[in-house]
Amino acid sequence: MLRTSSYTIYVALPESTDEMLLVHGYSGAYDRVSRSVAEYLMSREPGPPPVPLYGEWSAEPALQRAEAGQQPSDSTLDVLTKRGYLTEMSVPEEEGHVARIIKKRHMRASQQQVNYIFMPTYNCNLRCAYCFQAHMRTQQEFRHLLRTMTREMADRIFAALPAIERQHGIEDDERTRTVGLFGGEPLLKRSRGIVEYIMDKAREMGPTQFWAVSNATELQAYEDLIGPDGISTIQITLDGPPDEHDKRRIHADGAGSYAEIAPNIDLCLARGARVAIRVNVDPANLADVPRLAEEIVARGWDKQRGFSVYTSPIVPNEHVGIEATFSTWHLDQAIDELRELHPSMRVVGRPDDGMQSLARTLIDRRAGLPSMKTSFCSAHTGMYIFDAFGDIYACWERTGDERVRIGRVLDGGEVEMNGWAKVWHSRTPASNPTCRKCRYAFQCGGGCAVLAEGQKGKFFTNYCDGFADRFRHSVAMAYMDHQAGVEVEEAVRVCDL
Ligand code: SF4
Ligand code: SF4
């Protein structure tokens, strides 16, 4: 007995009331169908979609359920079955089938991917109010964390990398490694010695690409290390035009930082590095983003190769309440509205531009292989973050809290992993009772673990962040761009938090 697969996604097209797009969650199929076919599928759904344990799924587009007897032709039914929209599996059988696919693919992804991030220090020369590490610089009991990594510790960590790679089944690998630099502020002038040492040690192991998340206030001290052969991608934050930025990204004495950062953006671009400007937005600075866009255009940055700007919502943490933040979906819509009003906003990316590029791969195989996520981010596959103490973390948002470290590098480079490694590396939509039932499981990957835990007190639960709306919107926009022959743009960003 055929029924509609629980993983069928219906996407309304703004330009058509007669047709819709269908996307299938795990077969990777997408099809443009008549509304009556979509209504037929909707009428064969096994019941109302499961309600998430905690709200946030948005309803599928409103469709009338097809009348009994209103059935597509046999050939259409055949195609719908072959492409996965109709299935003979029962609901629990299909859920089990999905869980098995996720587990298998996740294991494969974990075997292929190891990313390293070095934190030369948790210290930072700025005091941004929304920083998740603010307590480390303002509360006495955390000040011991502000040490800088020593060369001995860097040696220990590099001695540990082959053992970590072996755990992922990677041996004598000749692929280029990636090493990220994160902090605190990783590129403080006084950390130059250890950063250069880390880069030299990485190159001794083999070809390496370097990237950094920096506040860019002291980048002039790294001029010769920046460029395609050195730190080739740098994410820099500007939280508005100079006056607004200087209220948010401040030094300990309250002084602003824009005047130090702007020349260093010029420096990075002149050195041939890719610069991704991140704009952290909340309801209080949204209206200032167009003035930042004008500033970027006036400085000519947008014309330079490798330069891009994207917006990201400030996320709730222990220093910022959820009521003072945007969801990604709401910010995405707000940026779209500002684009209508301000021509210079064309240079500023929406938070979901990256999702639109991924949605394009469903539709246009020339845009790349369709992405099927088995986890939300690389914290659940192979991200290893090393701090100055030799502690290893999976996610930078939890760095510095040794209760959740996933392991330690011991003397001589021995690696000691603990139970947290298993917890982090096993979080997939399949390990989560809500996400494994979700039709978006393969597109979303289960949401950010840190935000799920922060909002709901549980690690293995969903954090949807408006994903259903965002994905359907992205697919519709990607489809229309494809029809109009618009080229796919690459979005550069490191992590959305
Ligand atoms: S903060 Fe969330 S999305 Fe970013 S690395 Fe950590 S778990 Fe992943
Ligand atoms: S897969 Fe994503 S959208 Fe679906 S329930 Fe989980 S977090 Fe929410």
Side-chain angles (χ1 to χ4, degrees):
M1 174 75 171
L2 285 174
R3 65 169 182 92
T4 300
S5 161
S6 314
Y7 301 85
T8 301
I9 299 168
Y10 307 84
V11 179
L13 284 169
E15 39 141 63
S16 169
T17 50
D18 302 333
E19 292 183 305
M20 298 189 78
L21 295 182
L22 296 177
V23 176
H24 190 262
Y26 59 86
S27 77
Y30 106 93
D31 290 277
R32 184 169 179 149
V33 297
S34 68
R35 204 170 174 88
S36 61
V37 167
E39 283 171 358
Y40 170 77
L41 286 173
M42 187 67 93
S43 71
R44 310 286 300 180
E45 291 242 347
V51 176
L53 298 180
Y54 304 91
E56 288 188 76
W57 275 343
S58 55
E60 296 299 297
L63 286 173
Q64 288 185 356
R65 295 192 166 243
E67 307 277 326
Q70 198 183 325
Q71 181 160 312
S73 66
D74 286 351
S75 60
T76 303
L77 289 177
D78 196 36
V79 173
L80 292 173
T81 308
K82 282 198 178 119
R83 294 176 76 71
Y85 307 115
L86 288 171
T87 179
E88 285 183 346
M89 280 183 270
S90 68
V91 172
E93 277 170 357
E94 193 180 29
E95 190 183 320
H97 177 61
V98 161
R100 282 190 294 279
I101 301 176
I102 290 173
K103 279 186 198 154
K104 206 163 157 191
R105 283 176 172 250
H106 184 66
M107 200 180 292
R108 213 180 302 143
S110 304
Q111 292 293 308
Q112 288 163 354
Q113 208 182 347
V114 186
N115 302 308
Y116 301 121
I117 297 178
F118 282 72
M119 301 181 80
T121 179
Y122 287 110
N123 211 345
C124 182
N125 55 342
L126 297 187
R127 298 287 181 272
C128 311
Y130 55 73
C131 178
F132 72 95
Q133 296 169 332
H135 58 283
M136 294 184 190
R137 293 142 213 147
T138 54
Q139 294 177 30
Q140 195 57 37
E141 65 264 39
F142 294 104
R143 290 194 73 81
H144 65 281
L145 290 174
L146 303 183
R147 78 153 73 143
T148 301
M149 189 180 282
T150 61
R151 291 184 176 212
E152 292 69 34
M153 181 56 75
D155 286 342
R156 247 205 238 182
I157 295 169
F158 277 101
L161 301 192
I164 290 174
E165 290 174 9
R166 276 196 300 278
Q167 284 175 13
H168 286 260
I170 300 170
E171 271 189 80
D172 300 325
D173 191 49
E174 299 202 340
R175 279 176 298 188
T176 300
R177 289 185 178 82
T178 54
V179 168
L181 298 160
F182 186 75
E185 169 50 39
L187 304 182
L188 289 172
K189 192 171 163 195
R190 65 169 177 267
S191 303
R192 154 97 202 199
I194 188 64
V195 169
E196 190 167 0
Y197 189 73
I198 289 168
M199 292 175 72
D200 288 345
K201 292 286 294 183
R203 288 185 179 116
E204 276 171 27
M205 286 191 77
T208 311
Q209 265 186 350
F210 300 97
W211 57 265
V213 175
S214 170
N215 67 28
T217 53
E218 297 187 359
L219 278 187
Q220 67 283 0
Y222 289 83
E223 181 167 0
D224 57 313
L225 300 184
I226 292 171
D229 299 326
I231 306 170
S232 56
T233 301
I234 307 186
Q235 179 187 294
I236 298 171
T237 299
L238 289 178
D239 279 350
D243 58 321
E244 180 60 28
H245 174 94
D246 283 347
K247 286 184 211 151
R248 291 172 169 247
R249 311 272 300 170
I250 53 173
H251 286 272
D253 63 1
S257 56
Y258 194 95
E260 295 147 76
I261 297 169
N264 281 334
I265 293 174
D266 288 328
L267 179 152
C268 293
L269 292 169
R271 298 279 312 166
R274 301 200 316 164
V275 173
I277 298 291
R278 175 186 172 112
V279 189
N280 294 313
V281 185
D282 62 21
N285 71 343
L286 174 69
D288 294 302
V289 179
R291 284 200 295 123
L292 173 62
E294 283 159 22
E295 162 88 7
I296 286 166
V297 172
R299 286 181 178 269
W301 287 336
D302 60 309
K303 303 275 183 319
Q304 305 236 28
R305 210 162 154 218
F307 180 85
S308 62
V309 189
Y310 74 97
T311 43
S312 194
I314 290 178
V315 294
N317 60 35
E318 62 182 284
H319 310 291
V320 182
I322 195 165
E323 66 294 338
T325 63
F326 281 123
S327 73
T328 305
W329 172 234
H330 288 128
L331 178 60
D332 204 69
Q333 290 178 307
I335 297 295
D336 250 357
E337 283 166 22
L338 289 175
R339 280 180 173 175
E340 299 283 315
L341 299 171
H342 304 276
S344 55
M345 281 294 290
R346 72 180 188 284
V347 304
V348 175
R350 296 178 298 124
D352 279 340
D353 283 345
M355 193 188 293
Q356 194 168 316
S357 304
L358 288 178
R360 184 76 174 260
T361 62
L362 283 169
I363 291 158
D364 176 1
R365 293 290 140 101
R366 288 168 309 164
L369 285 174
S371 141
M372 303 267 276
K373 289 175 78 170
T374 59
S375 60
F376 185 68
C377 67
S378 51
H380 310 295
T381 49
M383 185 149 77
Y384 289 84
I385 306 173
F386 305 102
D387 72 6
F389 302 86
D391 287 338
I392 310 174
Y393 293 90
C395 156
W396 49 39
E397 197 77 6
R398 300 304 303 271
T399 49
D401 181 354
E402 62 180 41
R403 292 168 304 176
V404 295
R405 67 185 172 200
I406 61 171
R408 288 188 305 156
V409 182
L410 307 176
D411 283 346
E414 200 188 325
V415 184
E416 179 192 78
M417 300 306 280
N418 63 34
W420 277 104
K422 197 157 179 227
V423 171
W424 275 95
H425 293 159
S426 64
R427 189 179 186 274
T428 69
S431 64
N432 173 329
T434 307
C435 298
R436 62 194 280 162
K437 294 184 179 63
C438 172
R439 63 186 83 213
Y440 302 97
F442 280 96
Q443 285 71 38
C444 166
C448 169
V450 169
L451 293 177
E453 198 180 29
Q455 295 302 307
K456 296 160 182 171
K458 279 192 192 172
F459 190 85
F460 288 99
T461 190
N462 58 309
Y463 186 84
C464 304
D465 195 20
F467 190 87
D469 281 326
R470 294 163 54 204
F471 181 72
R472 292 199 302 261
H473 181 71
S474 296
V475 171
M477 293 300 114
Y479 181 78
M480 292 199 316
D481 277 359
H482 175 56
Q483 296 295 90
V486 175
E487 292 294 322
V488 186
E489 279 183 31
E490 196 189 349
V492 180
R493 64 185 65 193
V494 178
C495 168
D496 280 342
L497 292 184

